[in-house]
Structure formats: structure tokens, C-alpha cells
């Protein structure tokens, strides 16, 4: 294996080159996101840049799979699922599909990861957790990919957190996701020259579900609740917003601009809101590395407290930003 700095630099450079090529492809093919009432941008912008992140992850994973004992059985379920989620997202970026068709295809990918998790562990709980995590994170990252830099920066922070919890090939794959996001971000933040597209947002959610599953299988029970910390900002915003739309009888699966980050972006701009979320994500990162891991009850209680704080902050900011 190369050194960590070399690994990160090579993959970040590859992601940057891939994003540049994806932008050229999108411009030539008129693959553009147009402004509208249900969007947070004001100018037509190319989409599909997340294909570069997918390419880097696949290439890194195939390289690691060639190293004896670097990857395990879980990889055999992770790799096809990643390609399935990215594939349906790439198709949707070119020709919008029914959300129910996308959901069905995502379920197939989730089953691929779940089957591998169950096979590797010999238990049903990791399989159920893998399926649920995949379905949630793929769609949450799609919901939350609405302003410049937000989805990629949060995925980078989560990848960094999981890299600190993983060993072996999955540690290196987490670093690959971090590097891929870093290579993409200059094209998406603070100004968006290209968007992730569904190919990118879905793949980021799936990749994080895979990393979380790998960590769940490897970590002692006392550390398992910590896997939820890097996801807090997105799960709170997406979860509270989705629940509110359901209670109001709205079509929750359709595009909208009701998330907290979207309300903040209209008031303060994309960059400021993305930085606020990054700061919150940085705090959860510090907690992961510094929190004592004595018992499941202790770590779970701490995670619940963080989510409770995040929920209260969501309510306060939503009221303040709407006023």
C-alpha cells in the first residue's frame, strides 16, 4: 500500500480530473439543472459530477480487492450495490424516472449489501441494519443535496470519522471516499460549476452505508452507537422535515425547498450554511475520537443526547431563520 498522503493525493487528483471531464460531458450533452421554484440555485448548472466520485471508489475498491485479505465478503455485496445505485442515478440524471422505480432499484442494492453482511456475520441483525441504513442514507443524501458543497462536505467528514474506526481495506476505502469528495468539492463549493446529480448523491449515501456496515461488523458493541454521530446533521434535518411534510399531508417524495439548509441558504447564502453544517459535523467528529467507550448504554446515551441537541437546534434555527 502507498502512504496515506500519497493515497489521498492520487485519488483526490483523479476525482478532480474526473469531475472536470464530467462537466465537459454535461455541457456537451446539455445535462443541466435549470432554476425553478423548487430549487435553490439561480442559474443553469451542469449535473452528474458525482460520477467521478463513483469511478474513484470503484477503482480504489478493485485495487484493494487485489491485495490478499484487504477486503472481505462484505465487499462482494458492496461493489454491485454501489454500481446499481450509481447506475439508476446516472439514468435519472439523463432521463427523470419515477421515484418508486428508483426506490425499488435502491432496495435491490440494499439487499446486496444486507446479504453480504448477513453472510459475513452469520447473524440477521447486521443484515437488517445494512438494509435499513442503505435505504435511509441513499435517500437522505439525495434530499440534502440542494446547495453548494453540502452533500460532498458532509460525506467527507463522515468518511474521515469512519476511517478512524475501521482497519484494513475498509479503512483505505473510507480514505478513498474522503479523497474523492475533496477532489470534487472545488468544482462545487463555494461556487457550483457542476452538481453531484443523483448519480453522486445516491452513491455517497450508499458508500457511507457500506462503511457504517463494515464498522458495525468490526467494532465492539460499546462503539457501535458512535456510527450514528457523523450522520446527525443530515438525519435530523431530513427526518424532521420529512415528518412535517407527512403530517401536513404533502407529497413528501416530490422536490421542495423546505429543509432547514434551504431556508438558511435563501437568507444567508449557500456558503455560509454549508460552513455551519461543516462546523456541526466537525464537532461530531471530535466526539467520535474523544468519547469514552465504556458500555453500550453510555455511548448510546451520549449519541441520543447529541441528537436531542441537534433536534432542539433545528427547531430554534428554523424559527429564527423563518422570522
Amino acid at each position: 500500500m502507498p502512504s496515506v498522503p500519497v493515497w489521498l493525493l492520487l485519488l483526490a487528483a483523479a476525482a478532480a480530473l474526473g469531475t472536470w471531464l464530467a462537466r465537459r460531458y454535461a455541457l456537451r450533452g446539455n445535462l443541466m439543472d435549470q432554476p425553478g421554484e423548487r430549487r435553490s440555485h439561480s442559474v443553469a448548472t451542469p449535473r452528474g459530477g458525482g460520477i467521478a466520485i463513483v469511478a474513484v471508489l470503484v477503482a480504489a475498491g478493485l485495487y484493494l480487492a487485489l491485495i490478499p485479505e484487504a477486503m472481505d465478503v462484505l465487499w462482494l455485496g458492496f461493489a454491485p450495490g454501489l454500481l446499481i445505485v450509481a447506475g439508476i442515478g446516472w439514468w435519472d440524471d439523463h432521463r427523470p424516472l419515477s421515484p418508486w422505480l428508483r426506490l425499488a432499484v435502491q432496495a435491490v442494492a440494499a439487499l446486496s449489501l444486507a446479504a453480504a453482511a448477513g453472510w459475513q456475520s452469520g447473524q440477521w441483525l447486521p443484515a437488517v441494519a445494512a438494509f435499513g441504513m442503505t435505504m435511509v442514507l441513499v435517500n437522505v443524501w439525495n434530499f440534502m443535496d440542494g446547495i453548494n458543497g453540502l452533500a460532498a462536505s458532509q460525506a467527507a467528514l463522515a468518511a474521515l470519522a469512519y476511517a478512524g474506526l475501521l482497519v484494513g481495506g475498509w479503512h483505505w476505502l473510507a480514505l478513498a471516499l474522503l479523497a474523492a469528495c475533496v477532489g470534487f468539492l472545488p468544482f462545487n463549493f463555494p461556487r457550483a460549476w457542476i452538481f453531484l446529480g443523483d448519480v453522486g448523491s445516491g452513491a455517497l449515501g450508499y458508500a457511507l452505508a457500506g462503511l457504517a456496515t463494515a464498522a458495525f461488523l468490526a467494532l465492539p458493541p460499546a462503539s457501535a452507537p458512535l456510527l450514528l454521530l457523523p450522520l446527525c446533521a443530515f438525519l435530523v434535518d431530513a427526518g424532521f422535515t420529512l415528518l412535517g411534510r407527512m403530517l401536513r399531508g404533502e407529497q413528501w417524495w416530490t422536490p421542495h425547498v423546505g429543509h432547514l439548509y434551504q431556508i438558511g441558504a435563501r437568507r444567508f447564502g449557500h456558503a455560509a450554511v454549508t460552513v455551519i453544517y461543516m462546523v456541526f459535523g466537525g464537532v461530531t467528529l471530535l466526539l467520535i475520537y474523544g468519547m469514552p467507550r465504556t458500555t453500550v448504554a453510555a455511548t448510546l446515551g451520549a449519541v441520543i443526547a447529541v441528537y436531542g441537541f441537534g433536534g432542539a437546534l433545528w427547531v430554534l434555527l428554523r424559527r429564527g431563520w423563518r422570522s
Side-chain angles (χ1 to χ4, degrees):
M1 288 296 299
S3 66
V4 170
V6 170
W7 181 255
L8 292 174
L9 286 172
L10 284 176
L11 295 182
L17 176 60
T19 305
W20 179 76
L21 292 173
R23 186 172 187 273
R24 291 192 63 186
Y25 170 84
L27 289 172
R28 287 183 177 180
N30 197 31
L31 200 64
M32 308 289 284
D33 263 352
Q34 301 294 335
E37 292 182 0
R38 295 184 176 183
R39 299 186 182 274
S40 298
H41 61 284
S42 56
V43 296
T45 305
R47 65 175 178 265
I51 190 68
I53 295 176
V54 175
V56 166
L57 273 179
V58 171
L62 291 175
Y63 172 79
L64 292 167
L66 295 176
I67 300 174
E69 300 182 0
M71 303 304 287
D72 49 28
V73 171
L74 188 64
W75 164 253
L76 299 178
F78 173 84
L82 177 64
L83 293 175
I84 290 170
V85 169
I88 195 66
W90 185 244
W91 187 359
D92 190 60
D93 285 332
H94 286 75
R95 181 184 299 174
L97 303 172
S98 160
W100 306 113
L101 174 61
R102 297 202 310 269
L103 196 66
V105 173
Q106 291 162 8
V108 173
L111 284 172
S112 177
L113 184 66
W119 183 11
Q120 181 167 314
S121 66
Q123 300 175 358
W124 62 267
L125 180 58
V128 172
F131 182 87
M133 186 76 74
T134 300
M135 295 302 293
V136 169
L137 292 187
V138 167
N139 286 284
V140 163
W141 245 261
N142 182 267
F143 293 157
M144 298 295 290
D145 179 30
I147 64 172
N148 301 349
L150 184 63
S153 63
Q154 289 296 304
L157 286 169
L160 180 57
Y162 291 152
L165 299 173
L166 290 162
V167 296
W170 288 100
H171 166 77
W172 290 96
L173 195 65
L175 292 178
L177 178 58
L178 168 63
C181 291
V182 169
F184 169 80
L185 273 169
F187 296 87
N188 188 243
F189 181 80
R191 178 179 177 181
W193 298 96
I194 190 170
F195 293 150
L196 280 168
D198 285 343
V199 63
S201 60
L204 286 178
Y206 183 87
L208 292 173
L211 294 175
T213 301
F216 183 76
L217 293 174
L219 290 173
S223 298
L226 299 179
L227 298 173
L228 294 172
L229 283 181
L231 313 173
C232 181
F234 269 25
L235 290 182
V236 166
D237 194 354
F240 277 33
T241 304
L242 181 61
L243 179 61
R245 298 195 76 204
M246 287 179 170
L247 292 176
R248 291 190 296 271
E250 299 176 5
Q251 293 182 322
W252 54 267
W253 59 89
T254 59
H256 64 96
V257 287
H259 285 286
L260 177 65
Y261 78 86
Q262 293 168 320
I263 296 170
R266 291 195 294 271
R267 182 164 182 175
F268 304 108
H270 290 214
V273 175
T274 295
V275 169
I276 291 171
Y277 276 72
M278 288 175 65
V279 170
F280 187 88
V283 171
T284 63
L285 183 64
L286 293 175
L287 288 174
I288 284 178
Y289 282 102
M291 186 180 296
R293 306 171 193 180
T294 52
T295 64
V296 174
T299 50
L300 182 59
V303 170
I304 291 173
V306 171
Y307 271 77
F309 173 79
L313 187 62
W314 184 91
V315 172
L316 291 173
L317 289 178
R318 189 175 178 88
R319 289 177 178 174
W321 288 356
R322 275 188 176 277
S323 61

